[in-house]
Amino acid sequence: MRLRNIRGAQEKILENPYTIQTDGLNGDDYKGLWQDKIFGNHNPVHIEIGMGKGQFITQLALEHPGINYIGIEKYSSVLVRALEKRETLETDNLIFMRMDAEDLTSYFAPGEVDRIYLNFSDPWPKDRHAKRRLTSTNFLERYDKVLSPDGYIQFKTDNRPLFDFSLEQLDEAGWIKDEVNFDLHKDGPAPNNIMTEYEMKFYQMGNPICRLVAHR
Ligand code: SAM
């Protein structure tokens, strides 16, 4: 994603009631408290890591009012775009966090998350950056900690080398694959699928979109 520095993005996030800015916090105000304290219910918690402008998770939240959604994004300048849409919606089941996925276990207690979505994650093509890929064993370890016993991850990408790498990493970490699809929209837009911004773009360019679902 091309990043532009958006003036006042951080301030906008701090002032916004639907977002959590993690700078300077250690996570204790949130860890283990998402359902009871933050959302005020006992509904399942689903998160998207690297949500970008938030099209996917916002649509999910509108379609599933009985699920608590948290969109996580590393950069304020991107997150602020998701906020603009969020402010126009009445729904109370969607919160955004400005956070690096590295810090996931500081903000979520063991078993607190029921589903993790990873959409068009940055590929980090150089071998020496492989640990930064959100489907590396480095991150699978974190997902293992925060996911509930029945929890799972869903990953979509048009980047075939990243997809193949992800399949290998799942094997290495002992995860079980429930779905592996190398061309999700082979017969036209797949049913029961919400397209992300990147997915829409790459689908229109004719790139095959890969999707996997896995649990441990
Ligand atoms: N998911 C969106 C989509 O499919 O349209 C955006 C995809 S964009 C290529 C990847 C996003 O992940 C960027 O907004 C980037 O800032 C975010 N990101 C990358 N590494 C991250 C990390 N470690 N923690 C949180 N977000 C991250």
Side-chain angles (χ1 to χ4, degrees), residues 99-112:
M99 189 183 87
D100 189 323
E102 287 276 353
D103 299 331
L104 203 60
T105 54
S106 302
Y107 287 85
F108 293 92
E112 200 170 18

Side-chain angles (χ1 to χ4, degrees), residues 193-210:
N193 174 66
I194 295 172
M195 287 219 191
T196 77
E197 279 104 350
Y198 273 65
E199 184 172 2
M200 187 76 80
K201 189 171 83 180
F202 292 130
Y203 170 68
Q204 285 168 352
M205 286 164 64
N207 296 6
I209 306 296
C210 305

Side-chain angles (χ1 to χ4, degrees), residues 2-206:
R2 202 148 48 95
L3 289 178
R4 267 191 315 121
N5 197 16
I6 296 185
R7 199 139 38 105
Q10 220 158 348
E11 290 72 18
K12 276 193 191 144
I13 289 168
L14 278 171
E15 285 162 13
N16 193 284
Y18 308 113
T19 50
I20 291 163
Q21 164 71 280
T22 59
D23 290 346
L25 299 178
N26 65 14
D28 290 347
D29 289 338
Y30 301 98
K31 195 172 180 170
L33 303 171
W34 285 101
Q35 283 168 308
D36 287 341
K37 198 175 148 199
I38 315 294
F39 287 104
N41 61 44
H42 289 102
N43 295 338
V45 173
H46 295 186
I47 68 177
E48 183 186 6
I49 302 178
M51 65 158 181
K53 295 178 191 162
Q55 173 174 304
F56 173 83
I57 197 158
T58 301
Q59 188 58 36
L60 271 181
L62 292 173
E63 289 182 12
H64 303 281
I67 309 275
N68 297 322
Y69 289 97
I70 305 168
I72 297 172
E73 170 54 50
K74 189 169 169 177
Y75 295 107
S76 310
S77 51
V78 183
L79 176 54
V80 82
R81 296 297 183 212
L83 276 184
E84 286 163 8
K85 174 88 191 292
R86 176 70 183 90
E87 281 164 353
T88 67
L89 305 173
E90 299 269 305
T91 188
D92 57 3
N93 65 332
L94 176 61
I95 285 178
F96 298 137
M97 284 179 92
R98 205 229 42 84
M99 189 183 87
D100 189 323
E102 287 276 353
D103 299 331
L104 203 60
T105 54
S106 302
Y107 287 85
F108 293 92
E112 200 170 18
V113 177
D114 294 286
R115 197 172 300 173
I116 298 176
Y117 292 104
L118 304 165
N119 291 316
F120 298 81
S121 309
D122 295 336
W124 292 106
K126 291 188 178 135
D127 282 350
R128 68 188 154 89
H129 292 147
K131 276 189 158 181
R132 297 185 192 175
R133 299 173 193 153
L134 290 180
T135 49
S136 66
T137 55
N138 177 37
F139 283 100
L140 291 175
E141 270 172 29
R142 288 166 168 78
Y143 307 154
D144 179 28
K145 288 193 179 119
V146 302
L147 273 176
S148 62
D150 296 332
Y152 64 83
I153 62 168
Q154 181 186 287
F155 172 54
K156 290 193 281 187
T157 185
D158 70 316
N159 186 311
R160 187 57 194 271
L162 177 64
F163 194 68
D164 292 343
F165 167 85
S166 307
L167 294 173
E168 285 164 23
Q169 294 285 288
L170 286 167
D171 286 343
E172 197 176 315
W175 287 55
I176 296 150
K177 293 174 215 118
D178 302 305
E179 179 191 329
V180 177
N181 191 331
F182 293 101
D183 194 356
L184 181 61
H185 306 302
K186 184 170 53 153
D187 304 318
N192 306 317
N193 174 66
I194 295 172
M195 287 219 191
T196 77
E197 279 104 350
Y198 273 65
E199 184 172 2
M200 187 76 80
K201 189 171 83 180
F202 292 130
Y203 170 68
Q204 285 168 352
M205 286 164 64

